Amino acid sequence: MTTPTPDDRRLRELLSGAVDNIEPADRLATIRSRTAGPARPKGNAMSTQRSKLVGIGGAVLATAAVITGIAWAGGVFDSTPDSPGPAADPTTSVTPQEPDETEPSEPTEPPAEQFTAGVYYLGETPMGTRLYREFQRVEGATKLMAAVQAAVEGSPQDPDYSTPWPTSLTVADATEDGDVIRIELSDTADRPSGMNAEAAQLAIEQVIYTAQGAVGARTPVQFMVDGNPVSEVLGVPTSEPLAQGDPLDVLSLVSITDPSEGQRVSGGTLKVSGTANSFEANVPWQVLDGDTEVAADFFTAEGAYDKMYPFGGDIDISGLAPGEYVLRVQTDDPSSGEGPGPFVDTRTFVVE
C-alpha cells in the first residue's frame, strides 16, 4: 500500500478545513467515505513520481466529489444524490418560486346584538307636533347605536307617528363616556325644503331623548361629522352639547308603552302600561271595534302636573270575539271640550 505523501495529506487537511463548517455536519463522514479512493501499490522511482501525480490528481477528483456531494446534501441541485438530474441548459433561467403566503383576513365588525329600546317619533297633539315613545326590538353593536339608528334611519311601527330625518342621512357612530353622548352623522344634514323650524327642532329632540333613554341618563348630546362637532344640523345650532327640552313642552302628555302596535293577545286579558301627565292623574281609556266603543274605564297614574308619571293595568277582553281592535288612551279633559282637547295615543291589537 502506498503511504500518502505530505502533499496528499496537506491537500486533504485543507479540504477537511474547508468543509467541516458546512451544514449538515452530521453527513460529512458519509460523504468522505463515498469519495475516498483505493490505496496505491508500491513501485520504482518513476512509478513513485507517477503515483505522486496520480495521487494529487486523485485528491483533486476527491475534492470535486466532496464538493459535489456537499452540494447534493445541501439541496443546491433539484435532485437526489442517487439520481442526479439532467445537465442545466445555460440558456434557460430558473424563476425562483414565491413563498406560499396566506392572504390576511379582513377585519370583522363586532357581531350585532338585539335590544329593546324606547325610540321617539313625531305625532300630532292638540298642542301641535310632539314626541311619542315607541318600544322596538333593535339590532346593533350597542344599544345606543341601535336606538339612534332606529330614530334617524328607521320607521315607526305605529302609523300615527313619523320621522322628519332625510333618508340620505345615516348614523355613522354613537358613543358615550358618562359626560357626553356623541352622535356621528354621515353628513352635515342641511334642512330639507318643506321642513319648518319646529319640525327640525323636534328632530334634534327626537335623537336626544332616544339616546338618553338608551344610556339611562340625561347626558348632553354632541352632534358630530368627521369626528368634529358640527355647528348646525337641520338648521338647528349644535356646536355645543345639547340638553333635552322640557318634557312637558316636548313630549305628548300621554304615551302607550304596552301593547305594541299590532300585538296579538290571547288569554282574555290585555295588559296596558304607559306614561302620562293628566288632570288629577286620571287616564281614561276605551277599546274600539271600528267606531264602536266595546269597553271603557280609566287608569290612575302615579302622579300629575310636574312631570310624566307611569300608569298601567289589565283590561278584561274575554268577552271580545277574535279580531282587530283599537286601544285609545287619553289625558283627562277638565274643560269638557272647551279647551284644545285631550292628548291621545292609540294602539291596534288583535284578539286571537
Side-chain angles (χ1 to χ4, degrees), residues 65-152:
V66 171
I67 292 172
T68 302
I70 292 169
W72 286 119
V76 175
F77 304 119
D78 190 17
S79 183
T80 62
D82 295 334
S83 179
D89 183 354
T91 64
T92 303
S93 62
V94 178
T95 303
Q97 186 176 1
E98 294 292 332
D100 184 14
E101 296 182 357
T102 303
E103 291 293 328
S105 59
E106 293 292 332
T108 57
E109 295 183 359
E113 296 185 44
Q114 289 192 338
F115 309 92
T116 299
V119 184
Y120 286 80
Y121 293 105
L122 278 61
E124 297 306 314
T125 78
M127 303 293 289
T129 306
R130 294 207 177 186
L131 297 184
Y132 287 81
R133 183 180 63 182
E134 179 180 82
F135 280 87
Q136 293 186 4
R137 194 68 175 162
V138 294
E139 185 177 279
T142 65
K143 183 177 181 179
L144 173 61
M145 180 70 172
V148 173
Q149 282 182 318
V152 174

Side-chain angles (χ1 to χ4, degrees), residues 277-284 330-336 341-343:
N277 185 313
S278 185
F279 179 71
E280 294 185 345
N282 292 324
V283 184
Q330 66 180 61
T331 56
D332 199 3
D333 183 12
S335 70
S336 299
F343 285 75

Side-chain angles (χ1 to χ4, degrees), residues 33-67:
S33 67
R34 290 180 179 177
T35 58
R40 304 293 183 189
K42 294 182 180 180
N44 55 27
M46 184 175 292
S47 185
T48 301
Q49 182 67 24
R50 185 168 57 248
S51 175
K52 178 178 178 180
L53 294 173
V54 171
I56 293 172
V60 172
L61 292 175
T63 301
V66 171
I67 292 172

